[in-house]
Amino acid sequence: MAFAAYFLHKILPTDENSDTIMTITTPYIMYILAEELGASGVLAVVCGGLYLSTKKNEIFTAATRIHTVPVWSNFIFLLNGLAFTMIGLDLPKI
């Protein structure tokens, strides 16, 4: 799947927004395909992410990297906030 994502990134005429969307959706697609094939989805995403991170300078332009970093920072911030909110809601029960 990482090879397919790399190939798609290389051949498709993309801009910063579509590249950002592809970076968000590619791990989910990797996970679902691996689970459907009976493999570990988590390992597929980790291996795919490591491969694509080594090829990021070939895939993305500088403008794309500048655009994608704040999007991922906000995404991580929201996930951390959601995780700690869920922990805080379950804390009184514990």
Side-chain angles (χ1 to χ4, degrees):
M1 184 58 200
F3 294 123
Y6 174 71
F7 183 71
L8 284 175
H9 276 290
K10 291 293 278 184
I11 65 167
L12 290 176
T14 58
D15 61 346
E16 293 86 14
N17 293 328
S18 60
D19 280 340
T20 303
I21 291 170
M22 288 177 76
T23 61
I24 293 172
T25 58
T26 301
Y28 294 109
I29 295 170
M30 284 182 194
Y31 181 84
I32 291 169
L33 284 177
E35 288 293 324
E36 288 296 321
L37 294 173
S40 172
V42 174
L43 289 177
V45 172
V46 169
C47 291
L50 288 172
Y51 176 75
L52 290 175
S53 70
T54 61
K55 301 291 185 182
K56 69 181 175 188
N57 292 332
E58 298 172 23
I59 297 171
F60 303 121
T61 63
T64 300
R65 288 192 298 272
I66 289 170
H67 184 267
T68 315
V69 168
V71 171
W72 273 103
S73 296
N74 286 329
F75 189 65
I76 291 169
F77 176 76
L78 290 172
L79 286 176
N80 280 334
L82 180 65
F84 282 107
T85 300
M86 292 173 66
I87 290 170
L89 290 173
D90 284 339
L91 196 58
K93 296 175 189 171
I94 296 173

